[in-house]
Amino acid sequence: MQITEALCTGNSRYKAGQTFAPQGVVLHSIGTPQPSAQVLRDYWQRNGSQYVVHYMVDDTKILHCMPDNFKCWHVGSPGNAKYIGIEMGEPSQIHYTSGAKFTVSDLATAQRYAQAAYKNAVQLIAYLCRKYGWKPESAVWTHYEITKRKLSNTDHVDPQHLWDGLGLGYDLARLRKDVAAAMGGSSALAASGHPVLRKGSSGDAVKEMQQKLIQKGYSFDPYGADGIFGELTEKRVKAFQLASGIGADGICGAKTWAALDAKPAEFQPYLVRVTAASGLNVREGPGTDYRIRMSLGFGGAYTIVEEKNGWGRLKSGIGWIYLLYTKRA
């Protein structure tokens, strides 16, 4: 699969530069017998319409028309602020009669085009799911299903009308299944069974990773596990990697997932006393970049239930202390 950069810098939506954090993808077809992705891209580049998508797909090519994090108008509200839009061309052998109904002059040729465009769309969606850590069963949609489930405020039925009219047998369930297969399994993206996540990723897999980090004592206040891999998440991933003896690149790959999934060795709690004359700060997590919750006085005795990179988690649950300024009681 090759994606050609063809950003529509002349389009008003590009110039608006309104960004968002994508949570999934919506697949469309254009609703007119135009098989060329380039023709549609050039139309948007001329600002022929503000209704533009992120990717344009035909039977031979994939064009990247808008940055993934630029809000486009393609599926109405609130979907425009949630989803990347992908538009498929439609074969020149169809002729629309009314609404979503059409006749076909050469069924076999039209089917071949639509099947090839579908395969390119599947490969593109699989790539985006890998890139952002999305699971097909929750992040992949068609415009028809968005309409049917009232997830946005448009009434379009594409591309289901095209698939049905050409007798292809495709639907959302088939699309999700084919995307998962293109990713290498039902929803697995790597041998570890997890996607590779990095800054800019979003979705269920990111949320799962954040929850695992929270369980291991890493604070995500005030946002919690929001499914968005931003600066705070990258910082927490690096801290966990350092504590786990993994190269701290901030990317959650197979080794980091394995460390997150590993059951911790049984820890024997022990008692310490504070040796810092001026008191010892209790922080939300095991590091000085975490917020201070309170301070413990000199000589106080406290139970440590977990150690991480020179820090100890207090049994009381109020936070972590730096063990250098303590001694075992």
Side-chain angles (χ1 to χ4, degrees):
M1 179 195 71
Q2 180 178 350
I3 300 173
T4 301
E5 290 294 320
L7 297 180
C8 297
T9 56
N11 190 273
S12 58
R13 294 309 307 157
Y14 181 92
K15 293 177 180 179
Q18 187 176 3
T19 60
F20 76 117
Q23 302 171 28
V25 60
V26 175
L27 182 62
H28 306 259
S29 67
I30 59 177
T32 188
Q34 175 49 259
S36 172
Q38 190 67 49
V39 168
L40 266 296
R41 180 269 169 192
D42 291 347
Y43 174 66
W44 291 324
Q45 169 66 2
R46 297 191 302 270
N47 203 33
S49 173
Q50 295 182 55
Y51 296 95
V52 60
V53 295
H54 300 85
Y55 294 87
M56 184 68 211
V57 177
D58 64 21
D59 59 334
T60 62
K61 66 180 73 69
I62 299 171
L63 302 181
H64 190 194
C65 300
M66 293 284 283
D68 292 359
N69 68 334
F70 274 34
K71 183 178 177 181
C72 293
W73 292 351
H74 62 100
V75 72
S77 180
N80 290 335
K82 294 182 177 182
Y83 302 115
I84 287 174
I86 299 174
E87 197 86 63
M88 294 185 295
E90 296 188 3
S92 58
Q93 294 79 22
I94 66 175
H95 174 71
Y96 281 93
T97 55
S98 63
K101 297 180 180 180
F102 58 82
T103 59
V104 188
S105 61
D106 184 342
L107 180 59
T109 301
Q111 287 177 329
R112 283 195 296 272
Y113 173 91
Q115 288 167 339
Y118 173 83
K119 289 179 181 178
N120 280 338
V122 166
Q123 291 298 317
L124 172 59
I125 296 170
Y127 159 78
L128 291 171
C129 285
R130 285 192 296 268
K131 179 178 180 180
Y132 294 107
W134 295 333
K135 296 181 179 180
E137 58 267 29
S138 59
V140 177
W141 296 93
T142 62
H143 201 168
Y144 168 72
E145 290 291 342
I146 290 288
T147 294
K148 187 171 72 171
R149 303 185 193 200
K150 302 186 185 303
L151 297 177
S152 211
N153 65 354
T154 57
D155 59 358
H156 295 201
V157 295
D158 59 295
Q160 194 62 53
H161 79 290
L162 179 69
W163 296 339
D164 290 348
L166 295 177
L168 297 176
Y170 299 149
D171 58 14
L172 179 62
R174 169 71 181 275
L175 175 64
R176 288 174 169 176
K177 180 179 178 180
D178 289 345
V179 168
M183 294 165 68
S186 59
S187 60
L189 308 183
S192 66
H194 295 290
V196 175
L197 304 175
R198 52 174 53 84
K199 188 176 179 181
S201 297
S202 62
D204 293 340
V206 174
K207 186 173 183 179
E208 179 185 357
M209 178 195 69
Q210 291 169 328
Q211 289 170 337
K212 288 179 180 292
L213 286 167
I214 290 170
Q215 291 168 4
K216 292 184 179 294
Y218 293 85
S219 173
F220 280 81
D221 290 346
Y223 309 107
D226 58 4
I228 299 173
F229 200 132
E231 290 185 8
L232 176 62
T233 299
E234 184 180 49
K235 184 181 294 185
R236 298 297 182 254
V237 169
K238 286 182 177 179
F240 173 72
Q241 289 172 328
L242 278 172
S244 303
I246 302 170
D249 59 3
I251 299 173
C252 186
K255 289 183 179 180
T256 305
W257 276 114
L260 286 170
D261 290 337
K263 293 183 179 179
E266 187 173 347
F267 185 87
Q268 297 298 323
Y270 60 91
L271 196 66
V272 299
R273 290 192 181 277
V274 176
T275 59
S278 59
L280 183 58
N281 289 331
V282 179
R283 295 184 178 271
E284 291 180 339
T288 56
D289 58 327
Y290 291 91
R291 290 188 305 177
I292 297 172
R293 284 185 168 173
M294 61 180 297
S295 181
L296 306 178
F298 172 78
Y302 304 92
T303 300
I304 302 299
V305 296
E306 182 183 355
E307 290 182 358
K308 196 180 296 293
N309 203 28
W311 290 74
R313 182 163 64 88
L314 299 173
K315 182 180 180 180
S316 62
I318 60 173
W320 296 72
I321 58 174
Y322 193 35
L323 296 175
L324 180 64
Y325 301 110
T326 68
K327 67 177 182 179
R328 293 211 181 205

